[in-house]
Every structure is written in C-alpha cells, then in structure tokens.
Amino acid sequence: MQMPIEREIFIEAPVNVVWRAITEPDQIVQWFSDEADVELKDGYEGALTFTERGTTEPMVAQITVQAFEPDRSFCYRWAYEPGVVPGEGNSVLVEFVLIAEAGGTRLRVVESGVDLLDWSQEQKDDYAADHNRGWARHIGDLGEYAAATQPA
C-alpha cells in the first residue's frame, strides 16, 4: 500500500468558504464527523466523533492541532494512544492545503506517518485502505457542501 494517503479535489467555492468548512465545528459536521471539537490554536486537543458518518462502529478520534495558516493550510495529528504527546512516529499527521484557482479552490488532503507507526504491516495496510476510501467519500461530500453553501 502506498504511503502517504493523498486526495485532491477542485471545489467550486472560494478559499474562504472551503477554509471555514474544514476548520469550523458547525461546518465540519456537515461533511465529515458527527461531532467536532476543533479550535484554531496550536496544540489544541480536541476530538472528532464518528457515530454514523463514515464508520462501521462509533469512534472518537482524539486530535491535536499542529499548525494552521488561515485560508492556506490546517493540520492536526490523530491515531495516537491516549495520554501520549503526539508526534512523528506515534501518530498520523493530517494536512489540508488550499490553493486558490480560477473558479474555486484546489484542496489537497494528505495523511502521513502511518509507515512510521509501531503497527504490523497488515494494520498499516488496513488503515491506508480504509482511509483512502474514507477520504474519497468525505472529500467528495466536502466539495458538494462547500459549493452549495456559497453566498448567492
């Protein structure tokens, strides 16, 4: 399985609309998780709760905000053990990169660091396959949501 996990989409909405969709909890729940505890603060420890959307069983994904640059990039770490300070080798980095283009925004999502985790190759392959499928669905949902929520 190829690492990292990457998805890219062109969204017919301006960067500021896509930015809000990926960083504001009330918008994240429209296309990604069922609940979202996210704040744009370096080191913020929040959570994404999946009960129905994109999961076969309910789960809470702890996240720690790593960095953000408004209207350009947002990244957090997840897939780490409770009580651990997430970093390279013990968590997965999720990065959203937004690029303004004529008629909308190009959004690139990259999950990296899976290959550095202390997991079996089968666990890594299963994670990558699951998240490749998941991002394909969620990014498609995000594109539809952001395009539909633009001011007229």
Side-chain angles (χ1 to χ4, degrees), residues 13 95 132 148:
E95 299 175 90
N132 269 307

Side-chain angles (χ1 to χ4, degrees):
M1 185 66 57
Q2 183 181 356
M3 308 288 172
I5 298 158
E6 298 183 50
R7 284 280 177 250
E8 187 172 287
I9 185 174
F10 178 78
I11 300 171
E12 292 180 2
V15 167
N16 66 324
V17 169
V18 178
W19 173 255
R20 287 194 313 273
I22 65 171
T23 61
E24 294 180 5
D26 62 328
Q27 294 199 41
I28 294 168
V29 300
Q30 300 300 316
W31 64 272
F32 191 40
S33 59
D34 297 286
E35 295 177 34
D37 174 9
V38 176
E39 286 189 27
L40 292 177
K41 294 180 184 172
D42 286 339
Y44 183 80
E45 296 178 7
L48 298 171
T49 302
F50 297 86
T51 52
E52 296 177 16
R53 184 176 282 135
T55 187
T56 53
E57 54 190 64
M59 66 166 288
V60 176
Q62 299 299 319
I63 66 166
T64 300
V65 174
Q66 296 294 289
F68 60 91
E69 188 177 345
D71 294 338
R72 292 182 184 257
S73 64
F74 173 54
C75 62
Y76 56 82
R77 287 196 172 275
W78 67 1
Y80 55 90
E81 295 295 320
V84 168
V85 175
E88 192 171 302
N90 70 4
S91 63
V92 176
L93 183 67
V94 178
E95 299 175 90
F96 295 87
V97 177
L98 298 84
I99 301 164
E101 291 187 6
T105 304
R106 181 152 313 276
L107 176 69
R108 186 165 179 245
V109 180
V110 179
E111 260 193 279
S112 60
V114 176
D115 52 329
L116 302 176
L117 297 175
D118 187 22
W119 293 355
S120 70
Q121 191 58 50
E122 182 181 1
Q123 287 173 303
K124 292 175 186 179
D125 289 346
D126 288 348
Y127 181 96
D130 183 49
H131 283 237
N132 269 307
R133 281 190 305 273
W135 283 119
R137 174 186 170 196
H138 292 305
I139 294 304
D141 291 347
L142 169 59
E144 291 175 17
Y145 170 73
T149 58
Q150 290 188 81

